[in-house]
Amino acid sequence: MGNNGGVPRDGGRGGTKCSFLLSMNILLLVIQILVPALYYSLHSSVGSTALLETASGGNSAKAPGSGVPPPPPPLSRQQKVLTKATEGENGGDSSRRGPASGTFNGFNVYYRDPSASPDAAPLHSTVHCMGENFGERSWLYRSCEFRNLCFDMIDREFVLFRSAAERSMNEAFLSHEKREYVSLSSSMENVSVSLGGINPQWGWKPNQSEALEYWPTVIEDELNEGYYELASDKVMVTFHSMAAVNVGHLLWDDFFPIFTLLDMFQLARNDLVLIRYVLKNRPRALWATCDLRDNTQQLCRKFFGKFLPLLGVKAEKQHTIYDSILELYGGQEPKSKYVCSPKGAVGIGTGLRLCS
């Protein structure tokens, strides 16, 4: 976690400055997490104590006629099942109608079918990117947010659906004589990001650090068939862990960039559906990464399980592209291979590392 490039040019002052920045940012992150947690915990405890005293007939119980309504009767088993199916992860989502169809990695999903109604619009994706520096490896610094980022349960890959308007814009752009001087932040064409931080030990030989250059699969049409949709207060993020076998690297090179990615696109208040990406473009995992050996996988699961609550993610909801699971209620068979999130984001390369 120290300076990977040797002695800093300023004689060591750069490392001190970096350490100070790290300390201030971790303090800010802890405050942002602990203050709301303490508030809700306190109020939850007070409410639970009052309810228990009322139900047990203690001194705090209100006398009949005092104007205080009695506590509601306990839910039946059937009511609990219905409530679980119709509510979202954190109290429900008022934009969703009807019961959930099942869960994706523990989050409720709802089946949508644009072909079922003549008034329903087909699904298409949009993109907005930041961090362009017009350099040879600009993908290291670029981060993007999506509307309607989908996951293909069969191919185990992320997918974007291009609209007719996007296709027209792309054709006009490619035919322009000065297109090399223009960069479109909302284009899906000729754009890529880094799935994660770059370890200097990997080097830039073929299929080393470049293996992290990534872009979701673009389908040249809108989605006119059924799909499963996450609630509107969820954001799906995929990333490659640089070295989660080490807690320091997990925090500085994975969690801080992910939090920064969400914050820069004003997505930090959404529930995070986090999916770790396993590289498919090389026969063996990169040095010091989670999938290099069985013992590194175990270490990563251990540390992710222990520290994921810092990002507001429950330990049991840690998944990779290969073990992500769609579970449907009532033993239904899947009607679609796509799980789509109204919000998504990717790109946590060098540009988002605190001391890159």
Side-chain angles (χ1 to χ4, degrees):
M1 228 175 62
N3 183 1
N4 291 311
V7 179
R9 295 179 180 178
D10 58 2
R13 292 189 300 273
T16 303
K17 180 179 179 182
C18 182
S19 299
F20 175 74
L21 289 174
L22 287 174
S23 300
M24 294 304 295
N25 275 271
I26 190 64
L27 177 61
L28 178 61
L29 181 60
V30 169
I31 292 174
Q32 288 177 325
I33 293 172
L34 291 184
V35 170
L38 181 60
Y39 173 83
Y40 287 116
S41 176
L42 177 62
H43 282 257
S44 176
S45 300
V46 171
S48 300
T49 303
L51 181 59
L52 287 173
E53 290 178 349
T54 302
S56 61
N59 295 330
S60 298
K62 300 298 181 181
S66 62
V68 178
L75 295 177
S76 66
R77 179 180 178 85
Q78 291 78 6
Q79 288 173 319
K80 289 180 180 179
V81 172
L82 181 59
T83 300
K84 178 182 178 181
T86 55
E87 289 188 348
E89 281 297 309
N90 294 318
D93 179 5
S94 59
S95 67
R96 302 274 68 88
R97 301 301 182 192
S101 304
T103 62
F104 173 70
N105 290 350
F107 296 92
N108 281 342
V109 290
Y110 306 81
Y111 184 69
R112 305 285 181 246
D113 189 356
S115 64
S117 171
D119 299 328
L123 182 83
H124 70 269
S125 309
T126 61
V127 58
H128 171 219
C129 297
M130 299 174 62
E132 178 64 59
N133 70 352
F134 303 98
E136 180 182 358
R137 292 173 177 157
S138 58
W139 57 273
L140 289 170
Y141 301 88
R142 190 183 295 117
S143 300
C144 301
E145 69 163 330
F146 305 98
R147 291 295 179 263
N148 297 323
L149 174 64
C150 299
F151 184 72
D152 187 326
M153 293 296 300
I154 295 179
D155 293 338
R156 299 287 163 170
E157 189 55 76
F158 292 90
V159 173
L160 300 174
F161 293 92
R162 198 196 298 267
S163 67
E166 160 77 15
R167 290 197 303 272
S168 298
M169 180 187 70
N170 184 61
E171 291 171 1
F173 173 70
L174 292 178
S175 63
H176 199 281
E177 60 181 5
K178 296 184 178 180
R179 61 182 179 275
E180 64 269 22
Y181 302 109
V182 179
S183 174
L184 300 179
S185 63
S186 59
S187 175
M188 301 180 189
E189 195 72 21
N190 297 324
V191 63
S192 58
V193 298
S194 178
L195 280 167
I198 303 296
N199 190 330
Q201 300 296 328
W202 296 338
W204 291 98
K205 295 179 180 179
N207 206 25
Q208 295 294 320
S209 295
E210 288 96 338
L212 268 71
E213 185 177 3
Y214 176 77
W215 192 247
T217 300
V218 178
I219 296 179
E220 299 292 334
D221 202 356
E222 298 172 319
L223 181 61
N224 289 286
E225 59 189 55
Y227 59 93
Y228 293 96
E229 184 182 46
L230 289 160
S232 61
D233 59 349
K234 307 295 183 286
V235 55
M236 187 155 60
V237 172
T238 186
F239 76 107
H240 175 270
S241 177
M242 193 186 85
V245 294
N246 178 291
V247 175
H249 284 300
L250 175 67
L251 294 176
W252 311 137
D253 298 311
D254 291 346
F255 284 8
F256 266 124
I258 290 172
F259 178 79
T260 305
L261 174 70
L262 297 175
D263 188 61
M264 69 188 295
F265 291 116
Q266 299 181 358
L267 297 171
R269 293 184 179 274
N270 293 270
D271 295 335
L272 180 58
V273 183
L274 193 62
I275 302 177
R276 184 169 66 81
Y277 197 91
V278 180
L279 297 180
K280 301 177 179 180
N281 54 2
R282 50 179 288 118
R284 190 166 184 239
L286 289 165
W287 177 79
T289 59
C290 291
D291 301 296
L292 186 62
R293 302 182 182 89
D294 290 341
N295 65 324
T296 56
Q297 286 184 337
Q298 293 172 3
L299 279 174
C300 285
R301 279 193 294 266
K302 174 184 175 182
F303 291 142
F304 272 117
K306 187 171 184 178
F307 292 99
L308 269 176
L310 287 173
L311 290 177
V313 180
K314 295 180 180 179
E316 62 270 19
K317 291 185 178 179
Q318 57 171 316
H319 289 276
T320 70
I321 57 172
Y322 289 120
D323 62 22
S324 290
I325 183 170
L326 174 64
E327 296 181 299
L328 301 178
Y329 295 138
Q332 304 176 56
E333 290 295 325
K335 299 178 183 179
S336 172
K337 66 177 183 177
Y338 295 117
V339 176
C340 298
S341 176
K343 304 168 187 174
V346 66
I348 59 168
T350 302
L352 297 192
R353 293 178 66 189
L354 191 59
C355 297
S356 58

PDB file of all heavy atoms in Angstrom, residues 81-109:
ATOM      1  N   VAL A  81     -45.418 -12.948   3.704  1.00  0.00           N
ATOM      2  CA  VAL A  81     -44.935 -13.326   2.381  1.00  0.00           C
ATOM      3  C   VAL A  81     -45.303 -12.266   1.356  1.00  0.00           C
ATOM      4  O   VAL A  81     -44.497 -11.857   0.520  1.00  0.00           O
ATOM      5  CB  VAL A  81     -45.496 -14.700   1.969  1.00  0.00           C
ATOM      6  CG1 VAL A  81     -45.146 -15.005   0.519  1.00  0.00           C
ATOM      7  CG2 VAL A  81     -44.963 -15.792   2.886  1.00  0.00           C
ATOM      8  N   LEU A  82     -46.560 -11.763   1.433  1.00  0.00           N
ATOM      9  CA  LEU A  82     -47.007 -10.751   0.496  1.00  0.00           C
ATOM     10  C   LEU A  82     -46.240  -9.448   0.686  1.00  0.00           C
ATOM     11  O   LEU A  82     -45.849  -8.782  -0.271  1.00  0.00           O
ATOM     12  CB  LEU A  82     -48.510 -10.503   0.672  1.00  0.00           C
ATOM     13  CG  LEU A  82     -49.141  -9.459  -0.272  1.00  0.00           C
ATOM     14  CD1 LEU A  82     -48.947  -9.887  -1.714  1.00  0.00           C
ATOM     15  CD2 LEU A  82     -50.616  -9.262   0.047  1.00  0.00           C
ATOM     16  N   THR A  83     -46.000  -9.078   1.955  1.00  0.00           N
ATOM     17  CA  THR A  83     -45.255  -7.855   2.238  1.00  0.00           C
ATOM     18  C   THR A  83     -43.839  -7.946   1.697  1.00  0.00           C
ATOM     19  O   THR A  83     -43.320  -7.004   1.094  1.00  0.00           O
ATOM     20  CB  THR A  83     -45.202  -7.596   3.752  1.00  0.00           C
ATOM     21  OG1 THR A  83     -46.544  -7.463   4.248  1.00  0.00           O
ATOM     22  CG2 THR A  83     -44.416  -6.335   4.061  1.00  0.00           C
ATOM     23  N   LYS A  84     -43.194  -9.086   1.882  1.00  0.00           N
ATOM     24  CA  LYS A  84     -41.826  -9.277   1.389  1.00  0.00           C
ATOM     25  C   LYS A  84     -41.774  -9.167  -0.126  1.00  0.00           C
ATOM     26  O   LYS A  84     -40.832  -8.635  -0.696  1.00  0.00           O
ATOM     27  CB  LYS A  84     -41.312 -10.650   1.829  1.00  0.00           C
ATOM     28  CG  LYS A  84     -39.909 -10.962   1.311  1.00  0.00           C
ATOM     29  CD  LYS A  84     -39.474 -12.342   1.747  1.00  0.00           C
ATOM     30  CE  LYS A  84     -38.098 -12.667   1.201  1.00  0.00           C
ATOM     31  NZ  LYS A  84     -37.653 -14.015   1.584  1.00  0.00           N
ATOM     32  N   ALA A  85     -42.809  -9.666  -0.797  1.00  0.00           N
ATOM     33  CA  ALA A  85     -42.808  -9.670  -2.257  1.00  0.00           C
ATOM     34  C   ALA A  85     -43.091  -8.296  -2.839  1.00  0.00           C
ATOM     35  O   ALA A  85     -42.612  -7.959  -3.916  1.00  0.00           O
ATOM     36  CB  ALA A  85     -43.846 -10.665  -2.782  1.00  0.00           C
ATOM     37  N   THR A  86     -43.886  -7.474  -2.136  1.00  0.00           N
ATOM     38  CA  THR A  86     -44.285  -6.185  -2.680  1.00  0.00           C
ATOM     39  C   THR A  86     -43.382  -5.046  -2.258  1.00  0.00           C
ATOM     40  O   THR A  86     -43.369  -3.999  -2.885  1.00  0.00           O
ATOM     41  CB  THR A  86     -45.727  -5.840  -2.249  1.00  0.00           C
ATOM     42  OG1 THR A  86     -45.819  -5.906  -0.816  1.00  0.00           O
ATOM     43  CG2 THR A  86     -46.714  -6.815  -2.863  1.00  0.00           C
ATOM     44  N   GLU A  87     -42.601  -5.211  -1.199  1.00  0.00           N
ATOM     45  CA  GLU A  87     -41.726  -4.145  -0.747  1.00  0.00           C
ATOM     46  C   GLU A  87     -40.325  -4.320  -1.294  1.00  0.00           C
ATOM     47  O   GLU A  87     -39.898  -5.420  -1.645  1.00  0.00           O
ATOM     48  CB  GLU A  87     -41.655  -4.114   0.788  1.00  0.00           C
ATOM     49  CG  GLU A  87     -42.933  -3.631   1.450  1.00  0.00           C
ATOM     50  CD  GLU A  87     -42.737  -3.447   2.947  1.00  0.00           C
ATOM     51  OE1 GLU A  87     -41.703  -3.902   3.462  1.00  0.00           O
ATOM     52  OE2 GLU A  87     -43.616  -2.856   3.577  1.00  0.00           O
ATOM     53  N   GLY A  88     -39.583  -3.229  -1.370  1.00  0.00           N
ATOM     54  CA  GLY A  88     -38.196  -3.262  -1.789  1.00  0.00           C
ATOM     55  C   GLY A  88     -37.304  -3.607  -0.621  1.00  0.00           C
ATOM     56  O   GLY A  88     -37.758  -3.953   0.465  1.00  0.00           O
ATOM     57  N   GLU A  89     -35.995  -3.468  -0.832  1.00  0.00           N
ATOM     58  CA  GLU A  89     -35.029  -3.835   0.192  1.00  0.00           C
ATOM     59  C   GLU A  89     -35.109  -2.930   1.413  1.00  0.00           C
ATOM     60  O   GLU A  89     -34.942  -3.362   2.523  1.00  0.00           O
ATOM     61  CB  GLU A  89     -33.619  -3.762  -0.410  1.00  0.00           C
ATOM     62  CG  GLU A  89     -33.272  -4.961  -1.243  1.00  0.00           C
ATOM     63  CD  GLU A  89     -33.247  -6.224  -0.427  1.00  0.00           C
ATOM     64  OE1 GLU A  89     -32.589  -6.265   0.626  1.00  0.00           O
ATOM     65  OE2 GLU A  89     -33.905  -7.177  -0.815  1.00  0.00           O
ATOM     66  N   ASN A  90     -35.343  -1.660   1.208  1.00  0.00           N
ATOM     67  CA  ASN A  90     -35.336  -0.707   2.309  1.00  0.00           C
ATOM     68  C   ASN A  90     -36.677   0.006   2.413  1.00  0.00           C
ATOM     69  O   ASN A  90     -36.784   1.208   2.218  1.00  0.00           O
ATOM     70  CB  ASN A  90     -34.202   0.321   2.122  1.00  0.00           C
ATOM     71  CG  ASN A  90     -32.846  -0.309   2.226  1.00  0.00           C
ATOM     72  OD1 ASN A  90     -32.635  -1.152   3.093  1.00  0.00           O
ATOM     73  ND2 ASN A  90     -31.929   0.071   1.365  1.00  0.00           N
ATOM     74  N   GLY A  91     -37.722  -0.744   2.692  1.00  0.00           N
ATOM     75  CA  GLY A  91     -39.017  -0.133   2.909  1.00  0.00           C
ATOM     76  C   GLY A  91     -39.880  -0.057   1.684  1.00  0.00           C
ATOM     77  O   GLY A  91     -40.960   0.499   1.715  1.00  0.00           O
ATOM     78  N   GLY A  92     -39.440  -0.608   0.566  1.00  0.00           N
ATOM     79  CA  GLY A  92     -40.282  -0.628  -0.606  1.00  0.00           C
ATOM     80  C   GLY A  92     -39.959   0.497  -1.564  1.00  0.00           C
ATOM     81  O   GLY A  92     -39.253   1.437  -1.265  1.00  0.00           O
ATOM     82  N   ASP A  93     -40.489   0.417  -2.757  1.00  0.00           N
ATOM     83  CA  ASP A  93     -40.284   1.396  -3.798  1.00  0.00           C
ATOM     84  C   ASP A  93     -41.636   1.738  -4.380  1.00  0.00           C
ATOM     85  O   ASP A  93     -42.285   0.909  -5.015  1.00  0.00           O
ATOM     86  CB  ASP A  93     -39.359   0.807  -4.874  1.00  0.00           C
ATOM     87  CG  ASP A  93     -39.123   1.773  -6.019  1.00  0.00           C
ATOM     88  OD1 ASP A  93     -39.599   2.917  -5.904  1.00  0.00           O
ATOM     89  OD2 ASP A  93     -38.495   1.377  -7.000  1.00  0.00           O
ATOM     90  N   SER A  94     -42.080   2.968  -4.174  1.00  0.00           N
ATOM     91  CA  SER A  94     -43.428   3.350  -4.569  1.00  0.00           C
ATOM     92  C   SER A  94     -43.621   3.351  -6.070  1.00  0.00           C
ATOM     93  O   SER A  94     -44.753   3.356  -6.559  1.00  0.00           O
ATOM     94  CB  SER A  94     -43.746   4.750  -4.017  1.00  0.00           C
ATOM     95  OG  SER A  94     -42.808   5.696  -4.514  1.00  0.00           O
ATOM     96  N   SER A  95     -42.515   3.343  -6.841  1.00  0.00           N
ATOM     97  CA  SER A  95     -42.652   3.351  -8.294  1.00  0.00           C
ATOM     98  C   SER A  95     -42.976   1.970  -8.850  1.00  0.00           C
ATOM     99  O   SER A  95     -43.365   1.836  -9.993  1.00  0.00           O
ATOM    100  CB  SER A  95     -41.354   3.869  -8.933  1.00  0.00           C
ATOM    101  OG  SER A  95     -40.299   2.956  -8.725  1.00  0.00           O
ATOM    102  N   ARG A  96     -42.823   0.935  -8.067  1.00  0.00           N
ATOM    103  CA  ARG A  96     -43.111  -0.417  -8.519  1.00  0.00           C
ATOM    104  C   ARG A  96     -44.561  -0.762  -8.222  1.00  0.00           C
ATOM    105  O   ARG A  96     -45.101  -0.414  -7.184  1.00  0.00           O
ATOM    106  CB  ARG A  96     -42.189  -1.427  -7.807  1.00  0.00           C
ATOM    107  CG  ARG A  96     -40.718  -1.155  -8.015  1.00  0.00           C
ATOM    108  CD  ARG A  96     -40.194  -1.804  -9.300  1.00  0.00           C
ATOM    109  NE  ARG A  96     -40.711  -1.238 -10.512  1.00  0.00           N
ATOM    110  CZ  ARG A  96     -40.164  -0.206 -11.122  1.00  0.00           C
ATOM    111  NH1 ARG A  96     -39.136   0.393 -10.616  1.00  0.00           N
ATOM    112  NH2 ARG A  96     -40.670   0.250 -12.240  1.00  0.00           N
ATOM    113  N   ARG A  97     -45.189  -1.457  -9.129  1.00  0.00           N
ATOM    114  CA  ARG A  97     -46.572  -1.869  -8.964  1.00  0.00           C
ATOM    115  C   ARG A  97     -46.659  -3.386  -8.981  1.00  0.00           C
ATOM    116  O   ARG A  97     -46.081  -4.039  -9.833  1.00  0.00           O
ATOM    117  CB  ARG A  97     -47.448  -1.286 -10.085  1.00  0.00           C
ATOM    118  CG  ARG A  97     -47.419   0.246 -10.154  1.00  0.00           C
ATOM    119  CD  ARG A  97     -47.881   0.878  -8.866  1.00  0.00           C
ATOM    120  NE  ARG A  97     -47.896   2.336  -8.951  1.00  0.00           N
ATOM    121  CZ  ARG A  97     -48.038   3.124  -7.908  1.00  0.00           C
ATOM    122  NH1 ARG A  97     -48.134   2.623  -6.696  1.00  0.00           N
ATOM    123  NH2 ARG A  97     -48.051   4.436  -8.064  1.00  0.00           N
ATOM    124  N   GLY A  98     -47.404  -3.940  -8.055  1.00  0.00           N
ATOM    125  CA  GLY A  98     -47.587  -5.379  -8.013  1.00  0.00           C
ATOM    126  C   GLY A  98     -46.464  -6.077  -7.279  1.00  0.00           C
ATOM    127  O   GLY A  98     -45.456  -5.479  -6.927  1.00  0.00           O
ATOM    128  N   PRO A  99     -46.645  -7.349  -7.023  1.00  0.00           N
ATOM    129  CA  PRO A  99     -45.639  -8.111  -6.270  1.00  0.00           C
ATOM    130  C   PRO A  99     -44.373  -8.359  -7.085  1.00  0.00           C
ATOM    131  O   PRO A  99     -44.396  -8.376  -8.311  1.00  0.00           O
ATOM    132  CB  PRO A  99     -46.365  -9.422  -5.962  1.00  0.00           C
ATOM    133  CG  PRO A  99     -47.368  -9.560  -7.068  1.00  0.00           C
ATOM    134  CD  PRO A  99     -47.810  -8.167  -7.384  1.00  0.00           C
ATOM    135  N   ALA A 100     -43.285  -8.543  -6.372  1.00  0.00           N
ATOM    136  CA  ALA A 100     -42.021  -8.871  -7.031  1.00  0.00           C
ATOM    137  C   ALA A 100     -42.090 -10.268  -7.619  1.00  0.00           C
ATOM    138  O   ALA A 100     -42.809 -11.146  -7.134  1.00  0.00           O
ATOM    139  CB  ALA A 100     -40.875  -8.763  -6.036  1.00  0.00           C
ATOM    140  N   SER A 101     -41.329 -10.469  -8.684  1.00  0.00           N
ATOM    141  CA  SER A 101     -41.284 -11.779  -9.339  1.00  0.00           C
ATOM    142  C   SER A 101     -40.276 -12.710  -8.683  1.00  0.00           C
ATOM    143  O   SER A 101     -40.381 -13.930  -8.800  1.00  0.00           O
ATOM    144  CB  SER A 101     -40.934 -11.612 -10.819  1.00  0.00           C
ATOM    145  OG  SER A 101     -41.835 -10.738 -11.460  1.00  0.00           O
ATOM    146  N   GLY A 102     -39.301 -12.132  -7.996  1.00  0.00           N
ATOM    147  CA  GLY A 102     -38.253 -12.921  -7.356  1.00  0.00           C
ATOM    148  C   GLY A 102     -37.141 -12.006  -6.899  1.00  0.00           C
ATOM    149  O   GLY A 102     -37.357 -10.813  -6.663  1.00  0.00           O
ATOM    150  N   THR A 103     -35.949 -12.566  -6.797  1.00  0.00           N
ATOM    151  CA  THR A 103     -34.797 -11.767  -6.359  1.00  0.00           C
ATOM    152  C   THR A 103     -33.595 -12.027  -7.264  1.00  0.00           C
ATOM    153  O   THR A 103     -33.440 -13.114  -7.825  1.00  0.00           O
ATOM    154  CB  THR A 103     -34.391 -12.093  -4.914  1.00  0.00           C
ATOM    155  OG1 THR A 103     -34.000 -13.480  -4.831  1.00  0.00           O
ATOM    156  CG2 THR A 103     -35.544 -11.818  -3.953  1.00  0.00           C
ATOM    157  N   PHE A 104     -32.753 -11.003  -7.392  1.00  0.00           N
ATOM    158  CA  PHE A 104     -31.471 -11.112  -8.071  1.00  0.00           C
ATOM    159  C   PHE A 104     -30.399 -10.738  -7.055  1.00  0.00           C
ATOM    160  O   PHE A 104     -30.355  -9.600  -6.578  1.00  0.00           O
ATOM    161  CB  PHE A 104     -31.421 -10.191  -9.283  1.00  0.00           C
ATOM    162  CG  PHE A 104     -30.066 -10.115  -9.941  1.00  0.00           C
ATOM    163  CD1 PHE A 104     -29.555 -11.208 -10.636  1.00  0.00           C
ATOM    164  CD2 PHE A 104     -29.295  -8.965  -9.862  1.00  0.00           C
ATOM    165  CE1 PHE A 104     -28.306 -11.152 -11.234  1.00  0.00           C
ATOM    166  CE2 PHE A 104     -28.044  -8.892 -10.447  1.00  0.00           C
ATOM    167  CZ  PHE A 104     -27.552  -9.986 -11.151  1.00  0.00           C
ATOM    168  N   ASN A 105     -29.584 -11.720  -6.684  1.00  0.00           N
ATOM    169  CA  ASN A 105     -28.555 -11.508  -5.650  1.00  0.00           C
ATOM    170  C   ASN A 105     -29.148 -10.942  -4.365  1.00  0.00           C
ATOM    171  O   ASN A 105     -28.514 -10.166  -3.647  1.00  0.00           O
ATOM    172  CB  ASN A 105     -27.455 -10.580  -6.166  1.00  0.00           C
ATOM    173  CG  ASN A 105     -26.606 -11.236  -7.244  1.00  0.00           C
ATOM    174  OD1 ASN A 105     -26.710 -12.440  -7.494  1.00  0.00           O
ATOM    175  ND2 ASN A 105     -25.757 -10.456  -7.890  1.00  0.00           N
ATOM    176  N   GLY A 106     -30.392 -11.332  -4.066  1.00  0.00           N
ATOM    177  CA  GLY A 106     -31.039 -10.900  -2.836  1.00  0.00           C
ATOM    178  C   GLY A 106     -31.865  -9.638  -2.957  1.00  0.00           C
ATOM    179  O   GLY A 106     -32.527  -9.242  -1.994  1.00  0.00           O
ATOM    180  N   PHE A 107     -31.885  -8.986  -4.120  1.00  0.00           N
ATOM    181  CA  PHE A 107     -32.666  -7.773  -4.343  1.00  0.00           C
ATOM    182  C   PHE A 107     -33.907  -8.107  -5.174  1.00  0.00           C
ATOM    183  O   PHE A 107     -33.810  -8.843  -6.165  1.00  0.00           O
ATOM    184  CB  PHE A 107     -31.834  -6.711  -5.065  1.00  0.00           C
ATOM    185  CG  PHE A 107     -30.664  -6.211  -4.280  1.00  0.00           C
ATOM    186  CD1 PHE A 107     -29.412  -6.811  -4.415  1.00  0.00           C
ATOM    187  CD2 PHE A 107     -30.789  -5.148  -3.407  1.00  0.00           C
ATOM    188  CE1 PHE A 107     -28.314  -6.351  -3.701  1.00  0.00           C
ATOM    189  CE2 PHE A 107     -29.699  -4.680  -2.677  1.00  0.00           C
ATOM    190  CZ  PHE A 107     -28.465  -5.289  -2.820  1.00  0.00           C
ATOM    191  N   ASN A 108     -35.038  -7.545  -4.799  1.00  0.00           N
ATOM    192  CA  ASN A 108     -36.278  -7.812  -5.522  1.00  0.00           C
ATOM    193  C   ASN A 108     -36.186  -7.397  -6.986  1.00  0.00           C
ATOM    194  O   ASN A 108     -35.609  -6.354  -7.317  1.00  0.00           O
ATOM    195  CB  ASN A 108     -37.452  -7.076  -4.869  1.00  0.00           C
ATOM    196  CG  ASN A 108     -37.957  -7.785  -3.629  1.00  0.00           C
ATOM    197  OD1 ASN A 108     -37.677  -8.969  -3.416  1.00  0.00           O
ATOM    198  ND2 ASN A 108     -38.704  -7.081  -2.799  1.00  0.00           N
ATOM    199  N   VAL A 109     -36.769  -8.219  -7.856  1.00  0.00           N
ATOM    200  CA  VAL A 109     -36.870  -7.893  -9.281  1.00  0.00           C
ATOM    201  C   VAL A 109     -38.325  -8.036  -9.708  1.00  0.00           C
ATOM    202  O   VAL A 109     -39.106  -8.787  -9.119  1.00  0.00           O
ATOM    203  CB  VAL A 109     -35.976  -8.802 -10.154  1.00  0.00           C
ATOM    204  CG1 VAL A 109     -34.514  -8.489  -9.937  1.00  0.00           C
ATOM    205  CG2 VAL A 109     -36.261 -10.279  -9.903  1.00  0.00           C
TER     206      VAL A 109
END
